[in-house]
Amino acid sequence: MQSERTIGINKENPILASLSKSAANKKKKRDSLLNTAFDLFTNQGIANTSISNIVEQAGVAKGTFYLYFKDKYDLRDRLIRYKASEILGKAYTALEATALTTLEDKVLFIAGNVISQLSDNRLLLKFISKNLSWGVLKHELVQITPGFEDDVNFVEKIQEAVKASDVKYRNPEVMLYMIVELIGSASYNSILNDEPMPIEKLRPFLMDAIRSIMRSQEIH
Amino acid sequence: MQSERTIGINKENPILASLSKSAANKKKKRDSLLNTAFDLFTNQGIANTSISNIVEQAGVAKGTFYLYFKDKYDLRDRLIRYKASEILGKAYTALEATALTTLEDKVLFIAGNVISQLSDNRLLLKFISKNLSWGVLKHELVQITPGFEDDVNFVEKIQEAVKASDVKYRNPEVMLYMIVELIGSASYNSILNDEPMPIEKLRPFLMDAIRSIMRSQEIH
Amino acid sequence: MQSERTIGINKENPILASLSKSAANKKKKRDSLLNTAFDLFTNQGIANTSISNIVEQAGVAKGTFYLYFKDKYDLRDRLIRYKASEILGKAYTALEATALTTLEDKVLFIAGNVISQLSDNRLLLKFISKNLSWGVLKHELVQITPGFEDDVNFVEKIQEAVKASDVKYRNPEVMLYMIVELIGSASYNSILNDEPMPIEKLRPFLMDAIRSIMRSQEIH
Amino acid sequence: MQSERTIGINKENPILASLSKSAANKKKKRDSLLNTAFDLFTNQGIANTSISNIVEQAGVAKGTFYLYFKDKYDLRDRLIRYKASEILGKAYTALEATALTTLEDKVLFIAGNVISQLSDNRLLLKFISKNLSWGVLKHELVQITPGFEDDVNFVEKIQEAVKASDVKYRNPEVMLYMIVELIGSASYNSILNDEPMPIEKLRPFLMDAIRSIMRSQEIH
DNA sequence: TATGAATGAGGGTTCATTCAT
DNA sequence: CATGAATGAACCCTCATTCAT
């Protein structure tokens, strides 16, 4: 699960190789702080993680932290956005490998994929908690490391799929908003506390709910 | 909106009048702490509120705090449960004044009423945030002040209404869970940030979504 | 080991029976505090025992504590004196059941008996620690409960035995002082930490040392 | 008696001179804390000395304390070990200036020298109290300041002297243990309270006792 | 850029003591 | 005598932030 802990950094990346040595070193420190912070945040909670903890485990000096982040919460927010975008990206990539055609099928596929990812990684779920909101997804999806912003924008892709859909919806934006909120919120208790039931038992109900929300929004 | 900030204390309450002088005084201190804490929590956030802040504004000594609460989070949890129960109680009371008969109508009424309450009181919404979960509603609704536990249990009442309904549902528990999560989560951004739109514009969509979720769960 | 925990109180004691009811009640509270404090002091240490702990477990109100003791250390000192006197008293009683005649034999018997008592009750040893000093024994042996001071004074008895001894010593007082200090101090580490060896292996060396000290003080 | 209060720091020390400026500064803070703490501990007792007291008088910030010591007791333990080692070291150094040959003479000399040091410095005696135990002497003698660990190990030297002695003893370890305990314990009351007599009057009795203990352990 | 020793305000918590009942 | 709610000073300890190197 190394990929879970290494954020947006690939040591064989040719782009990175082309950076000057000092810039690479700089990036290394930054990434070390990000990865370490994610580790600590997920394993012991944000409130229980001090900047001292982070720099110590990351192997950099305390003052260095302030060269890259305003404070602990600045770092946290960047992580949340990055991780949320990562989840959706993975789901979208998986979608592209399918032959699904209708928007309803696509949305259900992505929803299911996201739920699977979250239930496979409870620490991640706990961390991004209920922050997987539409607002975050829509406006704040950013590449965490400057210089790598050229990745695909998954939300844009989804919006394109909406436009391309044969079936039209009253307000696709709102529809997706409600679906995202429902998934994020309802999954949370189910995955973490098995309340009101384990996620695998809840899953078909959620799928039904999503489908019925979409159908109620169809324009004929 | 003073009533929003004064928790379970009614100086004309005959029960209270029958308490001994010292017991009444004790209650006064406790209530002062609760009310002050709610004020501070909602206005400046829990993380930014210290016990020192609370006792200072409440006009009691620091040690007194620990006579009544284990720590800041103990106090917070009691407040959340109490406030959540209060909201649902108000909605249920309003429901009783109507002539609605079907479960669908009743649920929609309560949902709408809760949304109205939350949008009328953004601070309260921020405080109970996304904590208006089914788990909290189902298991932890408590009267915050000892001696007043005899109030109606609203969740129980709702469950009775489910049983009494002519229309039957596949899994009413899950259905209500999803509805509560959807309302709590979707209202949050809409009310606080007008995202993706102001709550009054979002409201009909939410109602539709709730209705469609319920209909998809009907057993014929 | 009830007797270890009940200090100088015998509920069938006729003296006590003759006390007025309120006086008995008063004594009960006092004894409860003493017994509870000894329990807590030995089991969790004096520093970790608060007056709150004591009164709570003793079942009396906080203010009541101050009716009987100045503070925690006042209580502790009374306990130490009482317990030290109790140990010596037991040893002396056991001595009386023997037919030993010489002072050397008697002192060695008492020393051995005290060591046995201490090693049988490590908590007690820890509590009176190295406080089993001659000063305490000589000047401060008191009955812990007022009204029971008429018990035998064991130190006096020992001094009588010294006088009655055929063999005379240069300075019996100093000799006994050194013996008491040696026993108290040397036993401590041996019993609690097996350092430099377990008490049962150390015991013969100690007996030899005591005997040699006594012999070196003989006057011929 | 300044040397009693200044711990292991010699401003003319060439080793120190070779340290970097910041390292020297660091050491200065640490030593300031140690010296101040010893002052306060001896003059007003450990229990009555708070970390606030120490840092205030030492002229450093509160947080600085925790850069060097875990807590008050960590500091205390380091001081006790250091001071105990210092006393024995002085006694041993004095011994080397004599022409004494037998082990008995050497032990008696060291005992006398230690007693003199303790009676010259009652505060020090009170501080290390009865902690001058064989266990401490044997296992925990440490140099308090890092970088100065190369001093002679006095206990080792004594053990060598035992081996080199013509006269052999049954169990030299136990013999020395008992002697140390006797000196530490018997001196305490005598020096601090003149009980059972002032130390100078007690001294010959103690010497006799030590000699007799040693003789009783001789192997012929 | 990078460091890490130093800071000191402020946190939570405890607890001996008081005093009105 | 007995109570126990209330006190508030004092405690230990953390930690974000700074700044000379």
Side-chain angles (χ1 to χ4, degrees):
Chain A
M1 203 56 37
Q2 173 66 12
S3 69
E4 282 305 323
R5 304 206 161 174
T6 306
I7 294 164
I9 183 169
N10 180 340
K11 274 146 192 147
E12 282 76 38
N13 192 316
I15 299 180
L16 208 156
S18 73
L19 295 174
S20 78
K21 199 172 166 187
S22 87
N25 199 24
K26 185 174 159 186
K27 185 159 170 29
K28 212 168 76 186
K29 290 215 187 295
R30 197 189 137 87
D31 283 336
S32 179
L33 286 168
L34 282 164
N35 292 328
T36 303
F38 183 65
D39 248 25
L40 293 173
F41 284 172
T42 49
N43 282 309
Q44 62 188 47
I46 293 178
N48 299 321
T49 302
S50 68
I51 291 177
S52 291
N53 294 155
I54 298 170
V55 295
E56 192 181 343
Q57 186 163 325
V60 303
K62 239 189 196 150
T64 306
F65 182 93
Y66 293 92
L67 298 176
Y68 296 107
F69 307 99
K70 197 179 147 291
D71 56 28
K72 191 167 75 176
Y73 301 101
D74 177 29
L75 199 168
R76 176 200 60 184
D77 290 344
R78 287 166 198 265
L79 277 176
I80 286 178
R81 286 178 225 149
Y82 175 73
K83 288 292 177 184
S85 120
E86 193 182 43
I87 287 174
L88 203 61
K90 281 185 184 169
Y92 190 79
T93 303
L95 175 65
E96 287 180 321
T98 70
L100 299 175
T101 53
T102 70
L103 184 62
E104 191 177 300
D105 284 347
K106 289 178 180 173
V107 167
L108 286 170
F109 178 86
I110 287 183
N113 188 285
V114 167
I115 290 173
S116 296
Q117 287 186 61
L118 293 177
S119 61
D120 283 353
N121 194 342
R122 296 159 63 104
L123 287 181
L124 177 59
L125 171 64
K126 213 167 187 174
F127 175 58
I128 66 171
S129 171
K130 298 188 172 181
N131 293 290
L132 186 61
S133 79
W134 188 241
V136 169
L137 287 178
K138 188 151 164 273
H139 297 297
E140 305 183 64
L141 285 188
V142 294
Q143 276 304 315
I144 209 164
T145 33
F148 293 83
E149 293 91 352
D150 47 8
D151 297 75
V152 287
N153 181 326
F154 307 109
V155 172
E156 220 163 67
K157 294 250 174 188
I158 290 168
Q159 289 173 326
E160 285 167 15
V162 169
K163 256 183 210 152
S165 169
D166 287 338
V167 183
K168 297 298 175 193
Y169 296 89
R170 257 166 53 203
N171 189 326
E173 173 100 6
V174 166
M175 184 180 77
L176 288 171
Y177 168 74
M178 291 192 300
I179 291 170
V180 167
E181 294 292 340
L182 179 57
I183 294 173
S185 187
S187 300
Y188 187 79
N189 287 304
S190 174
I191 293 174
L192 291 186
N193 313 314
D194 285 350
E195 278 284 336
M197 55 177 57
I199 185 66
E200 287 315 321
K201 292 190 79 172
L202 182 67
R203 186 194 283 267
F205 289 98
L206 267 172
M207 292 297 148
D208 277 358
I210 294 170
R211 188 180 294 111
S212 70
I213 288 176
M214 292 187 77
R215 298 224 169 134
S216 76
Q217 298 273 321
E218 285 181 9
I219 301 173
H220 299 288
Chain B
M1 204 55 40
Q2 173 63 16
S3 69
E4 283 303 324
R5 304 206 165 173
T6 306
I7 293 163
I9 184 168
N10 182 338
K11 273 144 190 151
E12 281 77 40
N13 191 315
I15 298 180
L16 210 155
S18 72
L19 295 175
S20 76
K21 199 170 167 187
S22 91
N25 209 319
K26 197 172 153 181
K27 184 157 172 30
K28 212 170 73 187
K29 294 235 181 277
R30 195 188 138 91
D31 284 335
S32 176
L33 285 168
L34 281 165
N35 293 327
T36 303
F38 183 66
D39 251 21
L40 293 173
F41 285 171
T42 49
N43 283 310
Q44 61 188 47
I46 293 178
N48 300 320
T49 303
S50 70
I51 291 176
S52 293
N53 294 156
I54 298 170
V55 295
E56 193 180 342
Q57 185 162 326
V60 302
K62 227 175 189 175
T64 306
F65 181 94
Y66 293 94
L67 293 178
Y68 297 106
F69 308 101
K70 198 181 146 292
D71 54 30
K72 193 168 72 176
Y73 301 101
D74 177 30
L75 198 168
R76 176 200 59 186
D77 291 344
R78 286 165 199 266
L79 278 176
I80 286 178
R81 286 180 224 150
Y82 176 73
K83 289 294 178 181
S85 121
E86 194 182 43
I87 287 173
L88 201 62
K90 282 185 182 169
Y92 189 80
T93 303
L95 174 64
E96 285 181 322
T98 71
L100 299 175
T101 53
T102 72
L103 184 62
E104 190 177 300
D105 284 347
K106 289 178 179 173
V107 167
L108 286 169
F109 178 87
I110 287 183
N113 187 286
V114 167
I115 289 172
S116 296
Q117 286 188 62
L118 293 176
S119 61
D120 283 353
N121 193 342
R122 296 158 62 103
L123 286 182
L124 177 58
L125 170 65
K126 211 167 186 175
F127 174 59
I128 64 171
S129 168
K130 300 187 171 182
N131 292 291
L132 187 61
S133 79
W134 187 243
V136 169
L137 287 179
K138 191 155 161 271
H139 297 298
E140 305 184 65
L141 287 188
V142 295
Q143 277 301 316
I144 209 166
T145 31
F148 293 83
E149 292 92 350
D150 46 9
D151 296 75
V152 286
N153 182 326
F154 307 111
V155 172
E156 220 163 66
K157 294 249 176 191
I158 289 168
Q159 289 173 326
E160 284 167 15
V162 169
K163 253 184 213 153
S165 170
D166 287 338
V167 183
K168 296 300 175 192
Y169 296 89
R170 263 203 302 161
N171 188 326
E173 173 99 8
V174 167
M175 184 180 79
L176 290 170
Y177 169 73
M178 291 192 299
I179 291 170
V180 167
E181 294 292 339
L182 179 58
I183 294 172
S185 187
S187 301
Y188 188 80
N189 287 304
S190 173
I191 293 173
L192 291 186
N193 313 315
D194 285 351
E195 278 286 339
M197 56 179 55
I199 186 66
E200 286 316 321
K201 292 189 80 173
L202 181 67
R203 185 196 284 267
F205 290 98
L206 266 174
M207 292 295 149
D208 277 357
I210 294 169
R211 190 181 292 110
S212 69
I213 287 176
M214 292 188 78
R215 297 224 170 136
S216 76
Q217 298 274 319
E218 285 181 9
I219 300 174
H220 298 288
Chain C
M1 200 58 38
Q2 173 64 13
S3 68
E4 282 305 324
R5 304 206 162 175
T6 306
I7 293 165
I9 183 169
N10 181 337
K11 273 146 192 149
E12 281 77 38
N13 192 315
I15 299 179
L16 208 157
S18 73
L19 296 173
S20 79
K21 199 172 166 187
S22 87
N25 200 23
K26 184 175 160 186
K27 184 158 171 27
K28 213 168 74 186
K29 292 218 187 294
R30 195 190 141 88
D31 283 335
S32 179
L33 286 169
L34 281 164
N35 292 328
T36 303
F38 182 66
D39 249 23
L40 293 174
F41 285 171
T42 50
N43 283 308
Q44 61 187 48
I46 292 178
N48 299 321
T49 302
S50 67
I51 292 178
S52 291
N53 293 156
I54 298 170
V55 295
E56 192 180 343
Q57 185 162 325
V60 303
K62 236 185 196 157
T64 306
F65 181 93
Y66 294 92
L67 297 175
Y68 296 107
F69 306 101
K70 196 180 148 293
D71 55 29
K72 191 167 74 176
Y73 301 100
D74 177 29
L75 196 167
R76 176 200 58 184
D77 291 343
R78 287 166 198 263
L79 277 176
I80 286 179
R81 286 179 224 149
Y82 175 73
K83 288 294 177 182
S85 119
E86 193 182 44
I87 287 174
L88 202 62
K90 282 185 184 170
Y92 190 79
T93 304
L95 173 66
E96 287 180 321
T98 70
L100 299 175
T101 53
T102 71
L103 183 63
E104 190 177 298
D105 284 347
K106 288 178 179 173
V107 167
L108 286 170
F109 177 87
I110 287 184
N113 188 285
V114 166
I115 290 174
S116 296
Q117 285 187 61
L118 293 176
S119 61
D120 283 352
N121 193 341
R122 296 158 63 105
L123 287 181
L124 176 59
L125 170 65
K126 214 168 186 174
F127 174 59
I128 65 172
S129 172
K130 300 187 172 183
N131 293 291
L132 185 61
S133 78
W134 188 242
V136 168
L137 287 178
K138 191 154 161 271
H139 297 297
E140 305 183 64
L141 286 188
V142 295
Q143 275 305 315
I144 210 165
T145 32
F148 292 83
E149 293 91 350
D150 46 8
D151 296 75
V152 286
N153 182 324
F154 306 110
V155 172
E156 220 164 66
K157 293 248 176 189
I158 289 168
Q159 291 173 324
E160 284 167 16
V162 169
K163 256 184 210 151
S165 169
D166 288 337
V167 182
K168 295 300 174 191
Y169 296 90
R170 266 201 303 162
N171 188 326
E173 173 99 7
V174 167
M175 183 180 80
L176 289 170
Y177 168 74
M178 291 192 300
I179 290 169
V180 167
E181 293 293 339
L182 179 58
I183 295 173
S185 188
S187 300
Y188 188 79
N189 286 303
S190 174
I191 292 174
L192 291 185
N193 312 314
D194 284 350
E195 278 284 336
M197 55 178 56
I199 185 66
E200 286 316 320
K201 291 190 80 172
L202 182 68
R203 186 195 284 265
F205 289 98
L206 268 173
M207 291 297 147
D208 277 358
I210 295 169
R211 190 180 293 112
S212 69
I213 289 176
M214 292 187 77
R215 296 221 171 137
S216 76
Q217 298 274 320
E218 286 182 8
I219 302 174
H220 300 287
Chain D
M1 200 65 27
Q2 173 64 13
S3 69
E4 282 305 323
R5 303 206 164 174
T6 305
I7 293 162
I9 184 169
N10 181 339
K11 271 142 192 155
E12 282 76 39
N13 192 313
I15 298 180
L16 209 156
S18 73
L19 294 175
S20 77
K21 198 170 166 187
S22 90
N25 209 318
K26 199 173 153 181
K27 184 158 171 29
K28 212 171 73 188
K29 294 235 184 275
R30 194 189 138 90
D31 283 336
S32 178
L33 286 169
L34 281 165
N35 293 327
T36 304
F38 183 66
D39 250 23
L40 293 174
F41 285 172
T42 49
N43 283 310
Q44 63 188 48
I46 293 177
N48 299 321
T49 303
S50 70
I51 291 175
S52 293
N53 294 156
I54 298 170
V55 294
E56 193 179 342
Q57 185 162 326
V60 302
K62 228 178 194 171
T64 306
F65 180 93
Y66 295 94
L67 294 178
Y68 297 105
F69 307 100
K70 200 182 144 290
D71 56 29
K72 192 169 72 175
Y73 300 101
D74 177 30
L75 198 168
R76 175 200 59 184
D77 290 344
R78 287 166 198 265
L79 278 176
I80 286 178
R81 285 180 224 150
Y82 175 73
K83 289 293 178 182
S85 121
E86 194 181 42
I87 288 174
L88 202 61
K90 282 184 183 169
Y92 189 81
T93 303
L95 173 65
E96 286 180 322
T98 70
L100 299 176
T101 53
T102 71
L103 184 63
E104 189 177 300
D105 283 348
K106 289 178 179 174
V107 167
L108 286 169
F109 178 86
I110 288 184
N113 188 286
V114 166
I115 290 174
S116 296
Q117 286 187 61
L118 293 177
S119 61
D120 282 353
N121 193 340
R122 297 158 61 103
L123 285 181
L124 176 59
L125 170 65
K126 212 167 184 175
F127 174 58
I128 63 171
S129 169
K130 299 187 172 183
N131 292 291
L132 186 61
S133 78
W134 187 242
V136 169
L137 286 179
K138 193 155 158 269
H139 297 298
E140 306 183 64
L141 287 188
V142 295
Q143 277 303 316
I144 210 165
T145 32
F148 292 84
E149 293 91 352
D150 47 7
D151 296 76
V152 287
N153 182 327
F154 308 111
V155 172
E156 219 164 67
K157 293 249 176 191
I158 289 168
Q159 290 173 327
E160 284 166 17
V162 168
K163 253 183 213 152
S165 170
D166 288 335
V167 182
K168 296 300 174 193
Y169 297 88
R170 257 169 53 204
N171 189 324
E173 172 99 9
V174 166
M175 183 179 79
L176 289 170
Y177 169 74
M178 291 192 300
I179 291 171
V180 167
E181 293 292 339
L182 177 59
I183 295 172
S185 188
S187 300
Y188 188 80
N189 286 304
S190 173
I191 293 173
L192 292 185
N193 312 314
D194 284 351
E195 278 286 337
M197 54 180 57
I199 185 67
E200 286 315 320
K201 292 190 79 172
L202 181 67
R203 184 194 284 265
F205 290 98
L206 266 174
M207 291 296 149
D208 277 357
I210 294 170
R211 188 180 295 110
S212 69
I213 289 176
M214 291 187 78
R215 299 220 169 139
S216 76
Q217 299 273 321
E218 285 181 10
I219 301 174
H220 299 288

